[in-house]
Amino acid sequence: DGVVEELPRSRPRPAAMPPVSAFPTVFRSALALAVAAACAASTPGIQAAVIEDSCDSPQPTWSLASADTAPRMLAHDRNAAAARRGSAGERFVIDASAGTTLTVEIPIGNAGVIDELAAEVWVRSNRPNIRIAAKVRLPHFPVSASGQPVEVLVPGTRSQAIDRWQRLTVSGVPATLRRQLPALHAQHGPHGSLAGAAVTHIVLELYSSPGRYEVAIDDLRVEGVVERTGGAGPRVGDFL
């Protein structure tokens, strides 16, 4: 699961690469991105990119998302005490009641679902069992009640230690979605497909029990990003 590491906060951060102009301006600004063009090794002809958020800029980029725990936000900022390295990290302090769901997330655009897509982020928390996930939108899986596309989480690794930095990773999104397909058909009907699937957010699932959550986040990296524009995207098996 998560790799545990303690680094001295004085360690310098590598210089960020400039953003790629193909990404929307708002998206670049919100994430303080460094995006570098690269070829996806096992998907010939597809130009992928790397997204990085070093959390050094003053404006937070993560936000509270799904929750059924009546969360009370006590603090949400960026400061030096929350940094793994560099000048700052992003911090949440949240009180949560009994429930099942408490998540924070960061948008990454509309990334095509390909084998090369993988994300990692470093977290430190007063609680274990924080899990990273990729949020995937399925535009050809309409929810019968609302008519909105289905959104599913593809889970990654969980944290284990308390108050120590750990690297969480998520990958293998296409294979996981295919394994989830029978359950999606059972829940939403037999006619939905994985066509047009896109990863829209990287998510941290926080909830384990009622109480206070103190979470520091740093050094997000997402590889293998192929932006879908106007529904277009790479032809990769079921995910055209």
Side-chain angles (χ1 to χ4, degrees):
D1 278 344
V3 175
V4 180
E5 179 188 66
E6 282 290 354
L7 296 178
R9 292 202 174 102
S10 60
R11 176 178 172 180
R13 192 188 301 277
M17 299 185 69
V20 171
S21 59
F23 284 78
T25 301
V26 173
F27 177 47
R28 297 199 308 265
S29 301
L31 290 179
L33 293 178
V35 181
C39 285
S42 62
T43 311
I46 293 177
Q47 291 294 318
V50 174
I51 297 171
E52 294 179 316
D53 184 11
S54 65
C55 295
D56 285 338
S57 64
Q59 185 65 35
T61 55
W62 293 76
S63 60
L64 185 65
S66 299
D68 63 1
T69 56
R72 186 163 64 98
M73 185 76 71
L74 303 180
H76 180 205
D77 55 21
R78 285 186 168 183
N79 59 53
R84 168 181 170 253
R85 56 177 184 166
S87 61
E90 190 155 341
R91 176 184 67 137
F92 285 91
V93 181
I94 304 170
D95 275 350
S97 302
T100 60
T101 304
L102 178 64
T103 65
V104 296
E105 65 183 20
I106 187 169
I108 65 165
N110 289 282
V113 174
I114 61 175
D115 290 330
E116 293 76 18
L117 185 70
E120 66 174 53
V121 70
W122 288 81
V123 300
R124 185 186 67 200
S125 177
N126 66 330
R127 291 170 176 262
N129 294 320
I130 293 176
R131 184 169 68 179
I132 188 175
K135 180 185 284 188
V136 182
R137 179 175 296 150
L138 303 175
H140 295 285
F141 246 110
V143 179
S144 57
S146 66
Q148 297 300 310
V150 170
E151 291 183 331
V152 298
L153 294 181
V154 172
T157 60
R158 292 182 182 270
S159 65
Q160 296 177 339
I162 295 174
D163 293 327
R164 296 186 65 186
W165 285 105
Q166 296 167 84
R167 181 172 64 94
L168 304 182
T169 62
V170 59
S171 60
V173 177
T176 302
L177 282 178
R178 292 186 182 101
R179 289 195 296 270
Q180 292 178 340
L181 189 57
L184 289 168
H185 281 152
Q187 183 177 359
H188 301 291
H191 303 300
S193 77
L194 299 176
V199 178
T200 60
H201 296 76
I202 300 301
V203 176
L204 290 176
E205 298 179 273
L206 308 181
Y207 192 78
S208 56
S209 62
R212 180 160 299 180
Y213 290 77
E214 299 178 10
V215 183
I217 304 169
D218 208 351
D219 292 328
L220 171 74
R221 180 179 174 88
V222 187
E223 299 179 343
V225 177
V226 179
E227 184 77 2
R228 286 188 176 275
T229 304
R235 179 183 290 273
V236 184
D238 303 323
F239 305 100
L240 173 66

